[in-house]
């Protein structure tokens, strides 16, 4: 195996560990916090005063499910270099009063869909439960992370003998078909007990919870030459991970580097911690203010900023290659995908596309281009939503993958490392603009 291949696989192993230990957005944020703390970053709280120092790393979370980390090179910074990705993935969420008895023989759990999931992959595989519970405390309420972390549930298919047309396309009913089997008759009133036990709290202290099902199948590396990775939540934790790794490796010179991970992209971003919230804007303004700069300096900084909205993209499907645009053909392991759409579902325009291409060139990583087929409506992402809160020169990109929104997705073994490289260059550089159509891109020196 060549030296570069080894480093790709090291990166992938680290990515797979991150994915396996991040069954929900809350866990993804907790894992990022661990990595940031290890790198010497200090935690800030939105409800406390910020005393920011130059050349120091900070991070702040909102709702324990969104996180923004930043590093300020100096008080006289030019702008913000941002990569934004999302912490959530489609899943099944557990409802209150979840237990349903079936003829006094089975206990199943009542769930509802979170986001636009592919239903079929959730069936016939071991599942578990993770998320957070909110408990009563002497002072009020407090949140606890919980992960049952064992094979616990299964959503069984109906036998083909009972539906001979099953292979001719099946319409999944969210209330009938997606409820997981939890146990036999002994499981009655066992669910909350299990959650309380796992969280290390008293059952009677649990006031509320956000609990999700997750796929127990661990991520893996596969293919003739180990050229693919398959795992849960690649959309969008693959970009989250690459953004953070690039961020930690970067040495911002003249602009503030911002690693931004937002929750609830899969349900429209309209929460207090989503891309349509003030979270990013609040943090940018606060950095500006705390460094003793004026409102005008803030607006000037926005004009000299660049944002990469990083959310996974569709690779050409081996069995259905005609589902993609005829002339723009992204493949796994062929590099970072730049996404375009004429109706601006993606924020990319000729300027932000060109700047991102120059970042890839500088990072010596390949890029490719995605358009939807002109007769198909594609997905949307957080870039343009975020722009309605804080308007920045933005490009939409992603890593090419298959089976998006399945609970087990497939991506390229090389692409994560490409995005880490590009992120590092992004976070180290500065894109100066005044609004006159000219942009000076300043790279950090190699030797720094
Ligand atoms: Co996504």
């Amino acid at each position: 195996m060549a030296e570069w291949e080894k480093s790709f696989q090291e990166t992938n192993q680290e990515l797979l560990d991150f994915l396996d230990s991040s069954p929900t957005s809350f866990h993804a944020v907790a894992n990022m916090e661990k990595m940031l703390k290890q790198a010497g970053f200090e935690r800030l709280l939105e409800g406390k005063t910020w005393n920011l120092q130059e050349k120091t790393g900070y991070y702040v979370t909102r709702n324990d499910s969104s996180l923004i980390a930043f590093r300020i090179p100096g008080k006289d910074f030019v702008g913000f270099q941002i990569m934004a990705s999302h912490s959530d993935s489609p899943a099944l969420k557990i409802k209150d009063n979840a237990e349903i008895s079936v003829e006094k023989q089975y206990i199943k759990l009542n769930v509802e869909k979170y986001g636009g999931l592919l239903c079929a992959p959730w069936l016939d595989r071991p599942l578990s439960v993770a998320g957070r519970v909110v408990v009563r405390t002497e002072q009020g309420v407090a949140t606890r992370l919980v992960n049952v972390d064992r094979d616990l549930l299964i959503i069984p298919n109906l036998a083909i003998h009972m539906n001979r047309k099953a292979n001719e396309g099946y319409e999944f009913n969210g209330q009938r078909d997606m409820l997981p089997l939890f146990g036999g008759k002994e499981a009655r009133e066992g669910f909350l007990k299990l959650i309380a036990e796992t969280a290390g709290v008293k059952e009677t202290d649990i006031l509320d919870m956000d609990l999700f099902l997750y796929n127990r199948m661990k991520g893996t590396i596969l293919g003739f030459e180990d050229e693919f990775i398959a795992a849960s939540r690649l959309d969008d934790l693959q970009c989250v991970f690459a953004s953070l790794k690039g961020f930690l490796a970067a040495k911002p010179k003249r602009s503030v580097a911002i690693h931004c991970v937002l929750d609830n992209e899969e349900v429209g971003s309209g929460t207090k911690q989503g891309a349509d919230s003030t979270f990013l804007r609040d943090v940018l303004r606060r950095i500006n203010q705390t460094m003793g700069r004026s409102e005008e300096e803030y607006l000037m900084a926005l004009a000299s900023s660049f944002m990469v909205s990083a959310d996974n993209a569709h690779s050409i499907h081996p069995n259905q290659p005609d589902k993609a645009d005829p002339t723009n053909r992204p493949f796994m392991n062929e590099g970072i995908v730049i996404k375009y759409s004429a109706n601006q579902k993606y924020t990319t325009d000729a300027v932000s596309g060109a700047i991102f291409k120059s970042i890839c060139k500088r990072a010596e990583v390949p890029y490719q281009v995605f358009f939807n087929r002109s007769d198909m409506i594609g997905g949307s992402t957080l870039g343009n939503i975020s722009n309605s809160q804080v308007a920045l020169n933005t490009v939409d990109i992603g890593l090419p993958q298959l089976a998006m929104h399945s609970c087990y997705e497939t991506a390229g073994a090389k692409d994560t490392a490409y995005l880490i490289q590009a992120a590092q260059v992004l976070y180290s550089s500065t894109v100066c603009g005044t609004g006159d159509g000219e942009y000076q891109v300043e790279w950090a020196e190699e030797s720094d």
Side-chain angles (χ1 to χ4, degrees):
M1 196 186 273
E3 208 47 48
W4 59 264
E5 281 175 292
K6 260 189 229 154
S7 72
F8 279 130
Q9 295 308 13
E10 253 166 52
T11 302
N12 285 329
Q13 205 45 61
E14 215 182 318
L15 168 66
L16 293 181
D17 292 343
F18 180 74
L19 293 169
D20 289 338
S21 58
S22 304
T24 70
S25 55
F26 307 111
H27 293 82
V29 164
N31 287 325
M32 282 190 276
E33 284 195 67
K34 251 184 247 164
M35 291 164 76
L36 286 160
K37 272 188 191 142
Q38 241 165 42
F41 279 69
E42 286 174 31
R43 182 178 189 188
L44 299 168
L45 297 171
E46 286 197 286
K48 290 253 169 89
T49 309
W50 292 8
N51 292 308
L52 303 182
Q53 306 295 322
E54 297 180 351
K55 299 190 168 48
T56 310
Y58 301 95
Y59 71 90
V60 54
T61 63
R62 189 178 277 189
N63 190 49
D64 299 323
S65 64
S66 292
L67 176 144
I68 296 176
F70 58 91
R71 195 185 277 279
I72 307 164
K75 187 182 172 304
D76 56 345
F77 63 83
V78 174
F80 305 99
Q81 295 288 103
I82 306 169
M83 188 173 283
S85 49
H86 67 88
S87 57
D88 62 324
S89 300
L92 293 160
K93 189 173 187 207
I94 296 179
K95 293 184 186 172
D96 251 20
N97 305 307
E99 289 185 13
I100 299 174
S101 166
V102 183
E103 301 184 24
K104 298 197 175 119
Q105 289 296 326
Y106 300 137
I107 300 296
K108 62 179 180 180
L109 300 180
N110 195 6
V111 296
E112 61 181 326
K113 290 185 203 171
Y114 174 88
L117 62 152
L118 275 173
C119 287
W122 285 85
L123 277 66
D124 300 336
R125 56 172 75 227
L127 306 171
S128 196
V129 177
R132 67 174 176 186
V133 294
V134 183
V135 294
R136 186 193 330 265
T137 63
E138 266 169 36
Q139 295 78 29
V141 301
T143 58
R144 302 273 181 275
L145 267 187
V146 29
N147 180 0
V148 174
D149 201 15
R150 69 173 168 95
D151 296 348
L152 180 71
L153 306 165
I154 196 154
I155 308 171
N157 254 301
L158 188 65
I160 186 112
H161 315 81
M162 293 171 187
N163 177 13
R164 293 280 178 194
K165 294 200 160 153
N167 292 332
E168 289 160 39
Y170 185 76
E171 194 177 322
F172 288 91
N173 178 306
Q175 190 61 66
R176 182 192 61 195
D177 297 319
M178 303 308 293
L179 308 194
L181 180 61
F182 172 56
K185 44 182 178 278
E186 288 73 25
R188 214 173 142 215
E189 288 177 13
F191 182 67
L192 265 188
K193 213 170 281 167
L194 173 69
I195 294 303
E197 234 173 66
T198 310
V201 300
K202 274 202 250 151
E203 193 182 328
T204 47
D205 284 345
I206 296 180
L207 292 171
D208 218 327
M209 52 208 156
D210 291 312
L211 296 177
F212 297 84
L213 307 194
Y214 70 93
N215 175 13
R216 290 285 293 164
M217 193 163 167
K218 293 230 180 289
T220 191
I221 297 166
L222 55 91
F224 178 62
E225 287 195 307
D226 289 341
E227 57 270 69
F228 306 119
I229 55 170
S232 302
R233 298 173 298 279
L234 285 170
D235 171 19
D236 187 32
L237 295 188
Q238 190 181 13
C239 287
V240 167
F241 175 80
S243 173
L244 181 54
K245 293 290 282 183
F247 175 77
L248 290 174
K251 295 198 174 70
K253 283 283 289 264
R254 296 227 297 140
S255 283
V256 183
I258 310 256
H259 163 74
C260 173
V261 179
L262 301 169
D263 194 9
N264 304 124
E265 192 276 338
E266 301 294 358
V267 292
S269 296
T271 56
K272 67 187 180 301
Q273 62 277 1
D276 204 13
S277 78
T278 56
F279 188 31
L280 177 62
R281 188 177 65 187
D282 291 348
V283 171
L284 300 188
R285 291 182 72 90
R286 203 156 169 179
I287 292 170
N288 187 74
Q289 216 169 44
T290 323
M291 296 310 282
R293 295 156 51 109
S294 70
E295 180 70 9
E296 185 173 33
E297 282 173 305
Y298 172 67
L299 296 172
M300 283 160 61
L302 291 190
S304 274
S305 295
F306 191 69
M307 178 155 107
V308 175
S309 160
D311 193 359
N312 267 4
H314 303 295
S315 175
I316 301 294
H317 194 284
N319 296 339
Q320 304 214 36
D322 55 326
K323 291 288 183 189
D325 182 65
T327 63
N328 298 289
R329 315 284 294 167
F331 283 96
M332 292 179 287
N333 293 316
E334 295 294 316
I336 302 166
V337 178
I338 308 173
K339 306 181 195 176
Y340 293 84
S341 107
N343 60 19
Q344 296 299 123
K345 281 267 190 199
Y346 310 125
T347 53
T348 315
D349 55 28
V351 170
S352 62
I355 291 172
F356 189 72
K357 286 173 186 174
S358 63
I359 287 172
C360 289
K361 288 220 159 88
R362 179 76 185 187
E364 297 178 342
V365 299
Y367 61 82
Q368 36 191 348
V369 163
F370 175 87
F371 282 80
N372 287 297
R373 271 185 67 101
S374 303
D375 53 4
M376 279 170 81
I377 305 163
S380 61
T381 181
L382 53 81
N384 58 357
I385 297 173
S386 174
N387 263 261
S388 66
Q389 289 293 334
V390 49
L392 298 163
N393 200 354
T394 305
V395 67
D396 260 287
I397 62 118
L399 295 176
Q401 69 159 91
L402 298 171
M404 189 176 285
H405 293 192
S406 167
C407 66
Y408 207 68
E409 301 168 321
T410 298
K414 295 180 185 175
D415 294 318
T416 311
Y418 292 151
L419 186 54
I420 293 173
Q421 285 299 113
Q424 187 179 340
V425 170
L426 166 82
Y427 286 130
S428 306
S429 59
T430 296
V431 179
C432 307
T434 56
D436 67 352
E438 308 280 332
Y439 299 88
Q440 289 89 46
V441 185
E442 296 173 9
W443 312 111
E445 294 306 314
E446 291 291 324
S447 56
D448 291 338

